[in-house]
Amino acid sequence: MAEKTYVEEISRSLYDFRDAVNADFQTDAGLTKEIVAHISEEKHDPDWMAEFRQKSLAIYNQLEIPRWGPSIDGLNMDNIVTYVRPKTDMKGTWEEVPEDIKNTFERLGIPQAERASLAGVGAQYDSEVVYHNLQSEVAAQGVVYTDLESALTGPYAEMVREHFMHLVPPTDHKFAALHGAVWSGGSFVYVPPGVHVEIPLQSYFRLNAPGAGQFEHTLIIVDENAYLHFIEGCSAPKYNVANLHAGCVEIYVGKNSRVRYSTIENWSKNMYNLNTKRAVVEENGIIEWVSGSFGSHTSYLYPMSILRGDHARMEFTGITFAGNGQELDTGAQVIHLGKDTSSHIVTKSIARDGGVSNFRSGVTVTKHADNSRSSVSCESLMLDDRSRSDTIPVMDIQTDRVDVGHEARIGRISEESIFYLMSRGLSEEDAKALIVGGFAEPIAKELPLEYAVEMNNLIHLEMQGTVG
Amino acid sequence: MTKTILNPLPAPTWNRLGVNQANISLPEIPTQGWGESSTRVDAPIDSIQLECPGFSALESGGGADLDCFLRENANFHLHLAVKEGTEGMILIQHTLEEDHPHAIAHLTLRARPHSKITVIEVIRGGVSGSIHGSLAEIQAGEDAEVTLIQLQMLSAAARSWSAVSATAGENAQICIYRAALGGSSVLGGGKCLLPGTGSAFEARTIYYGDGDTILDFSDTAVHTGRKTRSEIHAAGVLDGNCQKTLRGTIDFRRGAVQGVGHESEDVLLLSPDVRNRTAPLILCGEEQVEGQHAASIGRLDEAMLYYMASRGIGEGEARRLLALAKFAPVLDALPPDLRCEAESYLERRLPS
């Protein structure tokens, strides 16, 4: 009798190491007015921010948990520590970063990547940014890349206040409200008009403390005729208790500007990843999302693009790989407001070993978005009969002057393809590995080389046996 | 009063998109009751038996609330069984008129093994406050073929709710053809369970909406048996301020080995004020399946209009012909006289 295809668990040894928890300060578990006030006090919030946090908490308490996505019953906010400050303040050189934390980022390859291929790096450890640096040449062009707390009170304070949680207001959903109440860490980026940041910036988020939450806020403002590639990475060691990530990314893409936002999400499998990402794009602007989702116990992740200006454009390229115990609900949303706007969504998802990988999308073309175009394409690969993959796309079209297309495909590795490759001399295992690699290739080629290698490591598959 | 849920999306999504359930409520029950319907039935074959109700069917695509309403308020009942190995056709005609403004039909149909039956339900007329309702519960035995065609040509004064639930046995085939051409508020919800090995479900919907018409459709194929097939296709034309929502779901349950499902929608938009919502879902709990869906939404193809102009067909006529072409998949399944009637009805309704 034929043996079923067997796909091995991804080796997580690169990411799954723990430091001893050695916090300088942490709040009690749970979410109360007092805890939120304590965070404000510890972070020396300006008055408006302290007030904003309390209002967000009130909204959080009013809103219901979403009823349409994967279960988050295993997440009990009473057990989550929302703020953990490591025993260091932010440093500008790796030498100044405490040894244990520096070793963590060394093992993750962040300083090496900075030396090799990045214009600037921010590194967050639990709730605070511990390292931030920007190449002097880039800074000389007027580019600002710093931690958000510094920006709150520095020369860009007013700009931060004007933009912070305006794209993702706390009323958006329960976990946006949670974020508004307890956010900490994250980065602020400002690219002045006409500046092209040729080399990417990267922020890396590491959550070490068990039972903690990470709520970093990334605010990116790219002025007119500018370009930025921003890379976000994240990981955590696995614990037996639930951890929570409810970060928020807000991106403002100016007229004629282009922003590429790449993410390799590799949280541990005890993580609830309830992240919110949103961009607004002005006339002739372009937002490009490249997203790889591999980790987490449960994910809700659907970057939204608001195409406000005429001729604005959005491209989303994503891959999701769900294994045993994971339910990853990912996809993208786009709202066409301007005329002649276009969106293009391409996703691939793989489910194996009982994992659940869902694709969810929402395309809205509003009444005045004449001559808009949208295409959505999603492909799902099921690697065994214990896994699950649902495709839930919705299109809401409110005008006739549009061209909207959608296609989806779901299935398994075709026996004919394996047979063909074997007839050309490949072993069955190699044939399957080649097909899965080819399935993910359109996404990998959108990533910088070193991140494509990381992604390939993450979907390293070993095949054995024959087709069942 | 408890809020009813009609045409629920099998896997809900963001509420802001407005597709998790229909934005249509159940009709109020008239104070004087529903009265009698003016339904006529032609069943010119002796292979059909009357059967007692008590037919155990699954929930329709319209949802439990709609099923319950239609069952409890039906003013026309027809419970049929088709004898093994026989063929036949039944024509059910509802005309909503001043004396009989309401027709709510409850049809159960058991097609015994190797039988073949076509049921055509024609709905015409419509005066102020007219209501049409239809609950069809179908069981197709081994190798049986059941085709249900619903041709709705109501006036803008009438509203319509219809629900279908079906179960297909081994190698059975169930086809639901729905032509929703009139009415001011139209809801259709179908669901077919495919437990029989080799069973198949085909749902084809055509619709036309103009003015302030609200159209809401939901069709679901639940694959549980091996080598099952489903084809869910819709096409339509929207004009005026019409709002339309279509949900199509292919649900591959674990064990539906070698299941194949396709769904598509082709929507022609004729007005900048229409609203078109489409939610084509594939739910997959089985590895060895093939599922695909595709949608195309937009205006008439300018290249096609140019080509037709080059062949001497004026723009207005070309637009009418291309719009009419959208309806062919269902009109082609009608007997010639009903097809002519439907085409005439559409000719009158399509913008010149």
Side-chain angles (χ1 to χ4, degrees), chain A residues 156-168:
Chain A
Y156 290 87
E158 204 49 42
M159 185 184 279
V160 172
R161 187 172 177 175
E162 279 174 20
H163 293 86
F164 180 83
M165 292 202 81
H166 278 240
L167 271 184
V168 184

Side-chain angles (χ1 to χ4, degrees), chain A residues 333 367 391 396-397 406, chain B residues 16 273 275-276 282 293 299:
Chain A
Q333 304 178 76
K367 191 164 181 53
T391 305
D396 179 6
I397 311 302
H406 175 92
Chain B
R16 69 173 178 83
D273 299 318
R275 184 163 193 176
N276 177 77
I282 299 179
H293 59 71
R299 289 177 295 171

